[in-house]
Amino acid sequence: MLTIRDIAAKAGVSVSTASRALNNNPRISQATRERIQALAAAEGYLPNYNAKNLTAGEANAVGVVFPTAEHSQPENPFYIDLLRGINAELVERHYVLSVAISKTADDLLKNVKSMVAQGKIKRFILFYAHKDDPIANFLRQNQLRFVTIGQPVDNANDYFVDNDNLQAGIGGANFLLNQLGVKHPVFVESSHDWAYEEQRRAGYERVAASFNVEPLTCKLGALDRVSRFIKQHPEIDGIMATDDFNAIEFYRLVREQFGVRHFPIVSFNQSLPAGLTDADLHSVNLFPEKMGSATVALLFSDREPLETATPGQIKIPYEIK
């Protein structure tokens, strides 16, 4: 691997002169700076940004923290798209990703503490927003910069990036009841009481009331409980779910109960490859790559961003197809 010592030797200057030239130090003449920079470019030299940052006590890495396994599916394509957006922005800043992922909250906290103490990581992105979250509490206590994906439920000062989930719920429910003509919908959510699910449900309930429709809701979880719910509501002719996986799971259980039935579904995240299901699935695009890019911009901002709903917040639009 080419080092700055190699560049200095090829240029016939000291290491300190080469370093100053590559950093545009005005103490080095313009001609010398241009000559050494041209030589470095021709040789394919890449500065050691990590060494520079570590000199200031910070690694050139951002910690990305996944929810624990009981609260998420790490292989969810939504997370992959978030990572794409995050990584693209980090590359521009000469930073890299460092991922924290564990089955339990205790192990996850140990992972993050190690990233801070041993890895010198001082910036984090949390792929969730939990109430009384030990990770967020630790980062606050140590005055480390972090941004959550999703609106925090217990600290209004935290920075976050999210969709307007109330409006997304209203838009999805309107599409289901108005465009797709559903008369007896059910709203399907996880058992985790995520804030975004509550907001989307509130939008669904508001639209259901305007259509004079009973706002049925079902939480996934215990199979016998969900099966009883489905058996009690044979009139269901449409599903609105908080994400594609929840939608297809409930749709599968309905078909097991009543046989082959086809009815429309509106859900979120566009997580399923085309052709994976025969359901009439309409998935709301939440633009996760844009969310990832916006998260990095907020993480590195020295001042409050201009395009925010309130300081420290960025809302990403949605699209229904």
Side-chain angles (χ1 to χ4, degrees):
M1 181 178 176
L2 199 67
T3 69
I4 196 167
R5 292 183 181 278
D6 299 321
I7 297 299
K10 289 177 182 292
V13 299
S14 68
V15 172
S16 61
T17 297
S19 176
R20 291 190 181 103
L22 292 173
N23 285 285
N24 277 318
N25 191 311
R27 292 174 60 184
I28 307 300
S29 70
Q30 181 69 25
T32 300
R33 277 184 277 162
E34 290 178 354
R35 180 173 68 86
I36 293 175
Q37 288 171 6
L39 174 63
E43 294 289 334
Y45 170 73
L46 294 175
N48 189 338
Y49 293 102
N50 190 45
K52 288 183 179 181
N53 280 3
L54 285 175
T55 301
E58 177 185 358
N60 69 322
V62 167
V64 174
V65 185
F66 279 75
T68 54
E70 64 182 6
H71 286 109
S72 69
Q73 296 172 307
E75 69 278 9
N76 191 322
F78 182 78
Y79 291 138
I80 303 303
D81 288 337
L82 275 176
L83 288 172
R84 285 196 183 99
I86 290 169
N87 190 63
E89 288 296 319
L90 290 182
V91 167
E92 294 296 318
R93 291 171 167 80
H94 307 294
Y95 272 67
V96 297
L97 281 166
S98 181
V99 173
I101 183 168
S102 301
K103 291 183 178 180
T104 68
D106 287 344
D107 286 343
L108 192 61
L109 181 57
K110 289 178 184 176
N111 195 342
V112 171
K113 286 182 175 180
S114 176
M115 293 166 81
V116 174
Q118 300 175 26
K120 304 300 181 184
I121 296 176
K122 294 189 174 181
R123 301 173 194 261
F124 288 84
I125 296 171
L126 275 56
F127 274 6
Y128 62 89
H130 286 166
K131 186 176 181 179
D132 299 323
D133 176 47
I135 307 296
N137 288 337
F138 169 77
L139 297 175
R140 292 189 201 105
Q141 290 165 7
N142 287 272
Q143 298 182 321
L144 298 171
R145 186 69 174 260
F146 71 96
V147 180
T148 64
I149 301 291
Q151 185 170 347
V153 293
D154 58 356
N155 195 309
N157 294 320
D158 287 348
Y159 280 22
F160 73 89
V161 174
D162 201 359
N163 303 98
D164 188 332
N165 287 296
L166 175 63
Q167 286 301 318
I170 290 172
N174 263 314
F175 192 83
L176 186 69
L177 298 179
N178 190 24
Q179 299 294 319
L180 301 177
V182 168
K183 303 299 182 185
H184 303 286
V186 60
F187 183 86
V188 179
E189 59 190 350
S190 77
S191 59
H192 301 310
D193 296 321
W194 293 107
Y196 71 84
E197 291 187 305
E198 295 175 1
Q199 293 159 3
R200 291 173 191 171
R201 181 179 0 106
Y204 158 80
E205 290 172 347
R206 185 180 300 184
V207 173
S210 71
F211 277 78
N212 198 28
V213 167
E214 180 185 2
L216 282 179
T217 298
C218 181
K219 284 183 181 290
L220 294 176
L223 185 57
D224 57 344
R225 175 178 53 76
V226 177
S227 297
R228 283 198 306 272
F229 175 90
I230 292 171
K231 190 173 183 178
Q232 291 166 359
H233 296 284
E235 75 278 9
I236 291 172
D237 63 349
I239 298 171
M240 179 171 170
T242 51
D243 70 34
D244 296 336
F245 290 101
N246 290 341
I248 295 305
E249 173 63 12
F250 189 85
Y251 182 66
R252 180 185 67 80
L253 293 173
V254 169
R255 295 182 69 165
E256 284 183 1
Q257 186 75 244
F258 297 114
V260 177
R261 294 176 62 181
H262 295 280
F263 47 72
I265 300 171
V266 170
S267 60
F268 295 80
N269 295 349
Q270 293 194 344
S271 301
L272 299 177
L276 187 63
T277 176
D278 64 351
D280 181 15
L281 178 66
H282 303 264
S283 189
V284 180
N285 188 355
L286 300 177
F287 300 104
E289 285 196 43
K290 289 184 179 179
M291 293 180 74
S293 298
T295 301
V296 174
L298 190 53
L299 186 67
F300 282 87
S301 64
D302 293 325
R303 56 183 180 177
E304 310 300 350
L306 298 178
E307 298 182 58
T308 61
T310 59
Q313 304 177 15
I314 295 179
K315 294 289 183 73
I316 305 298
Y318 66 91
E319 180 181 77
I320 304 175
K321 290 185 178 180

